[in-house]
Every structure is written in C-alpha cells, then in structure tokens.
Amino acid sequence: MIDVESLSFSYVSELTGDRVEALHGVDVSARPGTLTLVCGSSGCGKSTLMRALTGLVPQMTPGEIEGVVRIDGRDLAEVPLTEVGHLCSSVFQNPRTQFFCDTVAEELAFCGENYGRDRETLIESSERAAELMGITHLMDRKLSTLSGGQLQKVALACALSSGAPVLLADEPTSNLDPDAIAEVRRALVLLKEQGMTIIVVEHRLHFLRGLADQVLLMEDGSVTRRWSGEEFYSMSEAERRSLGLRTLVDPGPPEAWVCSRDSRDEASARGSVGLSCRDLSFSYGNTPVFEGFDADFPVGRITCIAGENGVGKTTLVRVLCGLAAPSSGTITLDGQTTSRRQRRAACALVMQDTGRQLFSDTLAGELTIGASQASGEAGEKLLADFDLAHLGDRHPLSLSGGQKQRLVIAAARATGRRIVILDEPTSGIDARHLDSITATLRRIANEGAAVIVVTHDGEFASACADQLITLTPTGTKRAREGEPQ
C-alpha cells in the first residue's frame, strides 16, 4: 500500500546552484493488487516522484520536503535506506546505474545476499525471477556483454527476486522489443495477481491497456489529471494529442510499422547510394553475432533497423560507424570501399546511453565540441528547435533522460555529417518531442544525409521510416519500403 499526501520537494542543484521546484502538492494512493500508471512530458517530475517513493528523496537528494510518503503504513522519512529495500524494489530508467555485480546470476542474488538470506532461498527466488522474465539463458552472461534491452529485463528480474511488496518501475520498456514488452506485461499481470502494489512511470503507454487501474498525468511537478484505466484508454485521439501523450494503441510487430509502396514508386523515391553493406558479419571470438548482412542506406532517406533484443543491432551500429571492425564483408560509401577511420569521420552517432557522450558543462558548449559553427545564434536556434533553449546554461548531466536524448541529437545535427546513426533515439521521449525528433531527422535527410535509426519504437518508425530492415543472427530478414513521408 502506498499513500502520498501533499508532497512537495525543492532542492538546490549542485551543478547549477539554482533552486529546482521539483514536486508541488502531489497526492497518490495505491492499494495492493493494483497498478498505477504515471505519465507526462519529459522533465515534469515523474522520476523525482519515484525517488521520493524509494526514500532517495530526501535522504540521498537533500532538499526541502513537505508532506508524507507512506508505504505499508510506514513513513519513509523515518525508515533507514538500508531497510527501504524490504518495502519496495525499483527498476531505474537507465538499468546500468543499479548494477553492482559481474554476471546476471550474481546480480539477481545480490539483494538477498545483502539481507543475509540463506542460499536455498536465494537460488529459488533468482531462478523464479529469471524464468518469469525470460532471461534464464542469460544467467551466466556478463552484464557488460548484454544489450540495453536485455539489461532492462535483468533489472526487472532483480526487482522481482527481492520479494518486496511494492514495485516501482521507471520506464521499464524503454529499450525493449515488442516480444520483450509482452513479457514485461505478462510479469506485471502475475505480480498484480499476487497482490503487489505497482507504480509504473512510462511514455510508452499502449502495453498497459487493460492492466492499469488508475492513471495520473503530471505537469510541472504536480498531478493535474486522474483517470481510471478504462477512462484513460477510451479517450479520443484528439484529446490524447492535446495532452502530449504517446499512442494508446499497440503499433504491432515490425512488419506492420511501414506501409508497402507500389513498385513503380520505389525508383523515384530511392535516394542515391550512401552507405552500403555486403555479406557483413561480426563475431566475438568464436561467437557469431550476425552473419551475411546486406543493406543499402541511401542519402536523403531514413532507414530504421529493428530486431529482437540481443540480436546485434548496437554492434552493427558500431561496425557501420567504424568503432568496431567486421569479421568479414565489405562496407562502401558512395560506391567506394571505406576504412574504419573514414567511416568515423563521415558518421555522427547518437548512442543508446546518451550519458556516455556528454562532456561539456553547458548545453551550449556541448553543441560546439564537434561543431564549432554551432556557437552563438546558430547554437541558440538549434537548442530552440529541440525545446532546450531555456536550459542553455544548465549542466547536461542535470537534465532528465528525455532532455539528454534531445541534446545529443541536436549535437549530431550540428556536425553536418553525411551519415547520421541513432541507437534508440526515442528512449524517454514524450509525444511532442517524438514529433520534433521525427521532423528533425526528416530535415537532416532532406539536407543530403543518410539517416540510420535502430529502434524498437513502432510508433516512431511508422512516422519516419522510408524503409525498414529487420536484423536476425543470419542477416537481413526483411527490408520494406515505406510511403514517402
């Protein structure tokens, strides 16, 4: 059981020195056996609310707090952090930030080991959580070798194995493919049936249809709208878009994301050859990741690459932009074989974990690291295009996940490079900014770049893709042409 009454929280940012009014008069009540969905635009306070529900606010994030947060009748302000884990388990937006061990099996047992549980209990709870989340085959794998989606599933399995009565999930499907999202949904259904109290913060909303009992909309640190699950998922399309929310309808499997085009239209729509791959393969030692990959990425077009978690999409991106060498095959640029160094010079990359490529102490400075021309008015305009102008003097690491994502995409655009590659660019992105990113990628393509996007986001791919390629361990499963956008 969760009861939040009149919760307000503000703090002084250590990075900027500014006071941040994060939460204002928030009230939340959630009962055992229910699921509460919290939605809202990037930076509206959803993650801060989740931190308050885990006791991290204010115990690890000092500030001024008013109101009360109770879990199972206990005031979290009076519960030591060492005991909060008995009350609630968490899945963070970036799963890498909550791991401590080397392998999946060790990580699943970590929480129980810290609480002194016996070996038999540890093994039983770990194996049950792994089976529930479909990661039994990963138990002996090193966490450092897993894809982003696989890491997210491991983080959820760790939360399940803890045995806490409350589950707090901050965008648990942000990096998952459609099949994995269905697995998460099945796990949440089971946990509800077992009487767990579940709160999920999400931009991706469709998978909770028929599962969410109540839905809260947050704006500027406050809960401004409340619906029952049935009321929320029956709202009109016009109302959904006016609230800045993502689609409430399942976009389906990848083959449904891009509409086919008549063959007579394909030649006229196809751009000139940009980056091309023939019989491309990659292996880690004797372990193949993908084999026989053939694809063309024309300039002036947006190509989306889909595929199951762990199939090698991020590894393919590293090969395409010259960060890794293929085991075999050829890569050409404008019909000429290219070296890794040449590809690195020609490509701008937006990584899946954007925090790994933020280096400056201001947003404005971040734009000029790889593009000196993006200073002054040009940089201000670029930040405005991504709704970041009001944050220009903020430290990049003080931004929300969605804001970081938009900043790195803006920096990639500033480089003006001919090949722009994005790995899951809509992770943590709300509807309004998804539309903005779609328009920006179209603009980059129209300016003469080949845009390559790795994504599990069917809503995004349907809006922007000119062609869709599905990667499998044995190469290219299908390549579909889309309607001109």
Side-chain angles (χ1 to χ4, degrees):
M1 180 181 298
I2 295 174
D3 285 299
V4 178
E5 299 177 1
S6 303
L7 180 64
S8 297
F9 179 68
S10 66
Y11 63 95
V12 176
S13 170
E14 294 182 356
L15 296 171
T16 66
D18 299 328
R19 176 162 290 280
V20 179
E21 301 291 338
L23 297 173
H24 313 279
V26 173
D27 294 313
V28 179
S29 179
R31 297 296 177 257
T34 65
L35 187 148
T36 299
L37 168 61
V38 182
C39 56
S41 62
S42 300
C44 71
K46 302 185 301 297
S47 293
T48 302
L49 173 60
M50 295 294 268
R51 289 175 64 83
L53 292 174
T54 61
L56 295 177
V57 166
Q59 297 193 50
M60 292 294 289
T61 306
E64 296 182 7
I65 190 167
E66 298 178 1
V68 179
V69 178
R70 295 188 183 92
I71 294 182
D72 277 359
R74 299 185 65 183
D75 186 343
L76 283 194
E78 301 173 357
V79 178
L81 281 180
T82 53
E83 296 183 23
V84 171
H86 291 295
L87 299 175
C88 64
S89 55
S90 303
V91 175
F92 295 164
Q93 192 172 12
N94 180 358
R96 288 185 177 88
T97 62
Q98 66 185 94
F99 292 146
F100 296 90
C101 300
D102 190 36
T103 68
V104 173
E106 291 169 346
E107 192 65 39
L108 285 176
F110 182 75
C111 176
E113 286 178 326
N114 277 275
Y115 286 128
R117 294 172 186 163
D118 63 79
R119 178 178 174 81
E120 182 177 339
T121 301
L122 286 176
I123 293 174
E124 180 181 350
S125 61
S126 296
E127 290 181 347
R128 175 180 173 276
E131 181 178 359
L132 186 64
M133 287 307 304
I135 61 169
T136 302
H137 63 294
L138 301 177
M139 291 291 275
D140 295 327
R141 289 275 298 275
K142 290 182 178 294
L143 290 166
S144 60
T145 67
L146 301 185
S147 70
Q150 289 171 324
L151 290 171
Q152 197 77 299
K153 292 169 73 175
V154 171
L156 187 53
C158 289
L160 302 183
S161 69
S162 72
V166 171
L167 173 64
L168 308 173
D170 191 352
E171 299 198 45
T173 69
S174 60
N175 295 316
L176 300 186
D177 61 49
D179 289 341
I181 291 174
E183 291 179 14
V184 170
R185 178 187 166 85
R186 286 192 291 270
L188 293 175
V189 168
L190 178 59
L191 293 173
K192 276 189 64 176
E193 292 174 347
Q194 294 177 337
M196 241 182 146
T197 306
I198 305 170
I199 293 188
V200 178
V201 164
E202 267 287 5
H203 288 297
R204 188 177 286 176
L205 307 173
H206 62 81
F207 77 101
L208 292 174
R209 177 185 289 271
L211 187 56
D213 297 285
Q214 66 171 334
V215 182
L216 310 180
L217 175 68
M218 290 193 68
E219 298 176 291
D220 297 324
S222 300
V223 175
T224 58
R225 296 283 296 274
R226 300 172 189 268
W227 301 267
S228 69
E230 184 177 355
E231 291 170 340
F232 180 76
Y233 283 97
S234 63
M235 79 166 59
S236 68
E237 185 72 4
E239 183 180 6
R240 175 190 71 80
R241 294 195 66 85
S242 71
L243 294 173
L245 300 175
R246 300 282 298 270
T247 183
L248 305 183
V249 180
D250 186 350
E255 53 266 29
W257 295 351
V258 178
C259 298
S260 61
R261 183 199 291 122
D262 292 339
S263 59
R264 63 178 178 272
D265 296 329
E266 293 181 12
S268 61
R270 189 178 299 279
S272 60
V273 175
L275 199 66
S276 295
C277 309
R278 291 295 178 267
D279 199 26
L280 201 65
S281 300
F282 183 88
S283 300
Y284 286 110
N286 295 322
T287 304
V289 178
F290 58 82
E291 299 176 325
F293 180 77
D294 296 327
D296 295 319
F297 303 101
V299 299
R301 306 192 74 202
I302 300 173
T303 301
C304 286
I305 301 175
E308 297 178 356
N309 289 122
V311 77
K313 300 183 299 298
T314 297
T315 301
L316 173 62
V317 163
R318 290 175 53 80
V319 172
L320 292 179
C321 67
L323 294 179
S327 303
S328 62
T330 59
I331 303 176
T332 61
L333 181 61
D334 296 330
Q336 303 295 317
T337 301
T338 62
S339 66
R340 291 173 60 190
R341 182 175 182 177
Q342 289 172 320
R343 294 200 302 279
R344 286 197 296 269
C347 293
L349 173 64
V350 176
M351 299 167 66
Q352 190 173 17
D353 184 356
T354 53
R356 296 186 173 188
Q357 57 186 125
L358 295 173
F359 303 101
S360 179
D361 57 356
T362 65
L363 276 66
E366 199 68 49
L367 297 180
T368 61
I369 288 178
S372 58
Q373 69 274 17
S375 58
E377 293 184 4
E380 292 175 4
K381 183 178 184 304
L382 191 56
L383 290 176
D385 286 346
F386 285 84
D387 193 24
L388 295 170
H390 63 296
L391 304 172
D393 292 328
R394 285 269 298 273
H395 196 293
L397 295 180
S398 71
L399 303 180
S400 71
Q403 291 166 339
K404 290 177 185 176
Q405 198 83 27
R406 303 201 307 272
L407 174 60
V408 176
I409 295 173
R413 183 185 170 205
T415 65
R417 294 182 178 176
R418 296 188 56 238
I419 309 295
V420 179
I421 304 176
L422 305 97
D423 193 357
E424 296 287 356
T426 59
S427 176
I429 295 295
D430 57 43
R432 183 164 62 91
H433 293 118
L434 183 145
D435 292 341
S436 173
I437 290 172
T438 298
T440 297
L441 296 187
R442 178 57 53 195
R443 192 179 311 135
I444 293 172
N446 290 342
E447 290 170 354
V451 180
I452 304 169
V453 184
V454 169
T455 186
H456 293 303
D457 192 334
E459 181 182 4
F460 172 63
S462 297
C464 74
D466 294 311
Q467 67 173 352
L468 174 73
I469 295 171
T470 301
L471 181 66
T472 72
T474 55
T476 308
K477 182 177 181 182
R478 64 181 69 86
R480 295 196 59 184
E481 302 295 326
E483 298 290 351
Q485 302 294 314

